[in-house]
Amino acid sequence: MNNMKLGVNIDHVAVLREARVVNDPDILQALYVACESGADQITIHLREDRRHIQDSDVKNIMAHSKVPVNLECSINKEILNIVSDIAPHRATLVPEKREEVTTEGGLDVFTYEDEVAFAIEQLHDSIIPVSLFVDPSIEAMEKSKDLGAEMVELHTGTFSNLFNMLNSSLPHSNHSVKEMELPRYRLSELLEESLEQIKNSAVHANKLGLEVAAGHGLNYHNVHEMMKIEEIVELNIGQSIIARSVFTGLKDAIKEMKKLTTR
Ligand code: PXP
């Protein structure tokens, strides 16, 4: 029995495509492979700056997906209007800053309480269930419930960064997370704390009747920690899956080209 849903975030395929502004790799091919390979859900993020997923991708994915589509979006009015028109299976409200590389923290449901409430209302008017991508805290769970969300997605970025800083060669590379360059015992303590926060938030959200998802930075090494938390019923994972696919597919891709370039 499997009571964990895997949402596969295919934005990263569009990142590669946009680097060349050609239709290669084709996002619909990624959709097809994801559905055929057991993805329970497709997750995409229509960013305000359209750096990867484009409006036409959202429409095409909605038209062809064999599994539910979880559309991530900011609380920007223009984006919300598009999402309301498209009516995905679910909308996940996320914070968005143009200068960030990826979604670097959860949605601040306290400072932007009114805007989030308005966004939820607009999406509900279009019969779209709403998830809020929030940092794991008891207060954020309660606020999410009060605001009328059906679901929360716990931001696992801090946990993932701590895990990678503690267990991999990351601290010795130029991708080190500078603010986490700490002694190992301290990283260990912080990792425990962050797992506690995720666990306690998941339990609390569950008690409040919210569905609980988690995502950001999860990979082949750290995902087992999320599997231990029964209240989490969905994981949304992108970067590590697409990164892994380069290496599971590179050999065949080179061999195929080698065949074509052999006289
Ligand atoms: N969930 C949400 C809400 C996200 O914004 C992202 C990143 O786009 C993910 C999950 C997936 O994160 P990652 O690509 O690090 O696996």
Side-chain angles (χ1 to χ4, degrees):
M1 207 214 28
N2 181 18
N3 62 354
M4 180 67 92
K5 276 198 279 178
L6 175 63
V8 177
N9 183 318
I10 57 174
D11 292 349
H12 307 274
V13 173
V15 169
L16 194 53
R17 178 194 64 186
E18 292 304 309
R20 271 293 183 89
V21 203
V22 286
N23 194 25
D24 184 21
D26 184 342
I27 197 85
L28 287 181
Q29 214 168 339
L31 170 72
Y32 178 77
V33 174
C35 292
E36 288 300 297
S37 311
D40 299 300
Q41 164 174 286
I42 295 299
T43 294
I44 45 173
H45 183 177
L46 183 67
R47 289 189 73 103
E48 290 166 27
D49 63 9
R50 309 297 200 275
R51 69 174 69 161
H52 38 58
I53 292 292
Q54 306 296 311
D55 300 51
S56 55
D57 293 327
V58 182
K59 288 195 184 119
N60 288 335
I61 288 168
M62 281 298 299
H64 295 282
S65 183
K66 295 185 181 71
V67 295
V69 176
N70 171 31
L71 183 52
E72 298 174 8
C73 64
S74 71
I75 50 176
N76 168 290
K77 191 81 201 118
E78 181 226 339
I79 295 282
L80 282 172
N81 288 341
I82 295 172
V83 175
S84 299
D85 275 354
I86 287 174
H89 298 82
R90 186 204 301 143
T92 298
L93 295 178
V94 302
E96 210 174 294
K97 283 192 238 122
R98 299 246 162 167
E99 64 277 12
E100 71 190 356
V101 176
T102 179
T103 315
E104 280 158 10
L107 184 64
D108 182 347
V109 283
F110 302 99
T111 309
Y112 301 106
E113 178 176 0
D114 293 345
E115 290 85 345
V116 175
F118 188 79
I120 294 176
E121 200 182 311
Q122 175 172 349
L123 293 164
H124 279 174
D125 283 347
S126 300
I127 334 272
I128 305 168
V130 180
S131 178
L132 301 179
F133 188 41
V134 285
D135 289 324
S137 74
I138 299 297
E139 297 73 22
M141 300 308 105
E142 298 203 329
K143 182 56 85 181
S144 300
K145 179 69 184 174
D146 288 349
L147 287 167
E150 281 80 18
M151 186 165 191
V152 283
E153 179 170 342
L154 305 178
H155 193 297
T156 51
T158 302
F159 154 76
S160 298
N161 283 338
L162 285 163
F163 189 99
N164 294 339
M165 287 296 282
L166 185 64
N167 295 300
S168 76
S169 57
L170 192 66
H172 307 284
S173 73
N174 59 1
H175 297 105
S176 171
V177 184
K178 289 285 168 240
E179 63 273 23
M180 287 182 183
E181 285 182 350
L182 300 166
R184 295 178 65 76
Y185 79 89
R186 189 64 197 127
L187 284 173
S188 220
E189 287 171 356
L190 289 172
L191 183 62
E192 278 310 304
E193 278 171 32
S194 115
L195 267 171
E196 276 291 303
Q197 276 166 353
I198 294 172
K199 168 82 187 162
N200 293 341
S201 301
V203 169
H204 197 73
N206 187 260
K207 275 194 194 135
L208 293 170
L210 292 163
E211 268 199 286
V212 188
H216 209 280
L218 298 177
N219 61 30
Y220 295 84
H221 306 287
N222 63 25
V223 73
H224 65 278
E225 293 290 1
M226 296 300 116
M227 295 305 294
K228 292 180 197 162
I229 305 174
E230 272 173 36
E231 291 75 11
I232 297 179
V233 294
E234 176 184 306
L235 299 174
N236 288 298
I237 307 183
Q239 169 79 26
S240 64
I241 294 177
I242 305 302
R244 173 68 61 107
S245 74
V246 171
F247 300 112
T248 52
L250 188 58
K251 191 169 150 191
D252 285 347
I254 293 172
K255 281 186 173 174
E256 216 181 298
M257 185 56 85
K258 185 66 191 161
K259 234 191 242 169
L260 293 172
T261 56
T262 300
R263 286 192 174 119

